[in-house]
Amino acid sequence: MTDLLDNRPAGTVRPTTEGLNESPEVRRNTSSVHGPDVLALAGAAVGSLALTVLLFTWIAPFDSILGFAVVAYVLFLSVYAVLVSFDENSVAVRDKVAAVLWQSLATLLLAALVLVVVYTLWRGRSALVHLNFFTQDMSRTGPLQPLTDGGVVHAIVGTLEQIAISLAITVPLGLACAVFLNEVPGRYARFVRTIVEAMTALPSIVAGLFIYATVILILGVDKSGSAAALALSVMMLPIIIRASDVVIRLVPGSLREASYALGASQWRTVWTVVLPTARSGLTTAVILGTARGIGETSPVLLTSGFTADLNTNAFSGPQVSLPLATFQLVGSPQPSLIARGFGSAALLMALVLLLFIVARVVGGRGPGELTRNQRHRRVVASRRDVERMSRRTRLGPEAAAVSGGFPYAAPDAVPYPAPAAGSDVAPDVTPDPGSGPEPGAPSGAPGSPSG
């Protein structure tokens, strides 16, 4: 039966024409920057600045620069909230004001960091441009001599040696303690974790006093670079343990379970599964601990002594580091020594920045992610495997005769030579106990069990 109006079968859905004449859908802008927001920010900035100037010049007798900045910022947030409320609801107003607050605080912190770095480089520029600053010490340089004489090579060497000794102490202990906290759970592990977390907030002067009282006063060791390295180790060890503990805790438990299911012991699982998986994070933890210890001044001031000579033996005699040299040189009233102090601070900042860049590069790769050289080595190893399997395949029946029917024998496997003509000596082949004599072979033939 068909519909009498449009000759369609009964039950057929008629096409509708609704929405055909409507305008096309406008694509929504997903960008975080919109025109009204920019206008609101600009208007709030101009309005807050005008109100603050009016308040400080006409209404109240204020003259503090810090107070001017604080009042202007508070008025900026208030005016911005009022402008946004004309177009948005209360939820959107709170969201936009919170976003402006956090972004402005982040900008303020970044500006403070840039100010510190730029100021240090600017004050130390007169010393950094001379090559002797990196190649000479201060043993023959007086406070009135120009910047073309003397340098801080003794502080650079002392810093590198002290950090090397500290790493030799803290890296094995820190990684071992982090593995213990994760692999041997219990009350004692929780106690150790609590102590480590408390030591992360230990003041540096306390670490220096501890080494000074125990190593220098009680044990009678002279002030030296090694004593300073022990004090730095006390500061670096909690950082490395805590960061390594967090990284190892992120290793999936399924990897450990798979290793145990294959019959590996706990020690082998830790050595071959857990530590390689967390290698990038552990490297980051070590570098962060190094950056913490390399800039400490108080422990070194109490334990290493001070000298203007180059001392390459960290176990004998006083030895100065870059933070200690900066502290001593900046405290001098002579402009040349102050410039050398700021130059030492610039070198220290460059060294710490280099460490953080290395930590970022190394720690940016996830577990299992390979570098370009590692991928190249994997490709070369795969090609060698293909060539080896191809050689095994080319051996064919000869390899099968030797390997008991398995066609993929070792590449160096060759068939046993046939016995010489007229010889009664059979080849030394151990037959399969379950195999019978070959068809048609006489008794005592080499292919029969009795032979």
Side-chain angles (χ1 to χ4, degrees):
M1 182 177 180
T2 60
D3 195 335
L4 298 177
L5 297 178
D6 55 2
N7 296 327
R8 288 188 177 88
T12 303
V13 180
R14 296 184 180 89
T16 179
T17 59
E18 296 179 0
L20 296 179
N21 296 327
E22 295 180 358
S23 59
E25 183 180 359
V26 179
R27 185 181 298 274
R28 184 176 181 181
N29 185 13
T30 59
S31 176
S32 59
V33 179
H34 304 282
D37 294 337
V38 175
L39 293 178
L41 288 172
V46 174
S48 62
L49 184 61
L51 291 175
T52 306
V53 171
L54 180 63
L55 178 63
F56 272 67
T57 56
W58 291 88
I59 300 177
F62 297 148
D63 56 357
S64 174
I65 299 178
L66 179 61
F68 183 91
V70 172
V71 172
Y73 183 72
V74 173
L75 290 176
F76 167 75
L77 292 179
S78 303
V79 175
Y80 178 74
V82 172
L83 293 177
V84 173
S85 64
F86 292 150
D87 299 326
E88 304 288 348
N89 53 20
S90 59
V91 177
V93 171
R94 289 194 297 268
D95 179 72
K96 291 180 179 296
V97 171
V100 170
L101 177 63
W102 293 117
Q103 291 176 5
S104 59
L105 291 178
T107 304
L108 179 62
L109 293 177
L110 180 61
L113 177 62
V114 171
L115 178 62
V116 171
V117 174
V118 172
Y119 179 77
T120 304
L121 293 176
W122 179 259
R123 291 294 303 270
R125 71 188 188 283
S126 56
L128 293 173
V129 296
H130 300 287
L131 183 61
N132 58 279
F133 183 74
F134 306 95
T135 58
Q136 297 179 7
D137 56 19
M138 297 291 294
S139 58
R140 299 182 179 180
T141 304
L144 299 179
Q145 290 185 266
L147 294 174
T148 54
D149 296 331
V152 293
V153 66
H154 58 302
I156 298 175
V157 173
T159 298
L160 296 178
E161 289 186 354
Q162 292 172 16
I163 287 298
I165 296 174
S166 300
L167 288 177
I169 297 174
T170 56
V171 171
L173 292 180
L175 297 184
C177 185
V179 171
F180 166 77
L181 294 179
N182 285 272
E183 300 296 332
V184 189
R187 294 183 178 180
Y188 186 66
R190 290 193 296 269
F191 173 75
V192 173
R193 183 176 284 110
T194 303
I195 297 299
V196 169
E197 292 177 354
M199 288 184 63
T200 54
L202 183 70
S204 58
I205 189 67
V206 175
L209 288 174
F210 172 73
I211 298 299
Y212 180 79
T214 57
V215 176
I216 297 178
L217 295 182
I218 298 178
L219 300 180
V221 178
D222 295 333
K223 290 185 177 181
S224 60
S226 59
L230 292 177
L232 295 178
S233 300
V234 176
M235 298 300 303
M236 296 167 53
L237 189 60
I239 305 297
I240 296 177
I241 294 175
R242 183 59 178 159
S244 302
D245 179 26
V246 174
V247 170
I248 295 177
R249 197 181 302 177
L250 296 177
V251 177
S254 57
L255 296 179
R256 295 184 176 90
E257 295 173 359
S259 179
Y260 294 148
L262 293 175
S265 61
Q266 185 179 15
W267 163 249
R268 189 171 183 83
T269 299
V270 170
W271 187 256
T272 60
V273 176
V274 176
L275 294 182
T277 303
R279 178 174 54 235
S280 60
L282 296 177
T283 304
T284 304
V286 172
I287 295 177
L288 291 177
T290 305
R292 168 65 188 277
I294 201 173
E296 292 293 342
T297 305
S298 300
V300 181
L301 179 64
L302 294 173
T303 55
S304 69
F306 185 82
T307 180
D309 299 332
L310 175 61
N311 181 15
T312 58
N313 186 4
F315 297 93
S316 176
Q319 189 180 56
V320 71
S321 63
L322 282 174
L324 184 56
T326 302
F327 175 77
Q328 295 288 345
L329 293 173
V330 171
S332 174
Q334 299 299 327
S336 60
L337 295 182
I338 294 176
R340 291 187 181 95
F342 276 99
S344 302
L347 284 178
L348 185 61
M349 285 195 308
L351 187 57
V352 174
L353 180 62
L354 178 62
L355 290 175
F356 274 102
I357 291 176
V358 172
R360 183 65 177 174
V361 172
V362 175
R365 297 194 305 269
E369 186 177 354
L370 303 178
T371 62
R372 181 179 300 178
N373 294 332
Q374 290 174 341
R375 289 195 299 267
H376 176 70
R377 289 195 293 268
R378 288 289 181 89
V379 171
V380 173
S382 299
R383 291 175 179 174
R384 288 198 300 265
D385 292 339
V386 171
E387 294 176 357
R388 185 172 66 253
M389 298 303 294
S390 299
R391 289 196 302 268
R392 293 180 179 181
T393 304
R394 286 194 299 268
L395 291 176
E398 298 177 353
V402 178
S403 59
F406 187 69
Y408 300 104
D412 55 350
V414 295
Y416 290 99
S423 175
D424 295 335
V425 180
D428 188 10
V429 179
T430 303
D432 188 359
S435 62
E438 297 180 0
S443 178
S448 62
S450 60

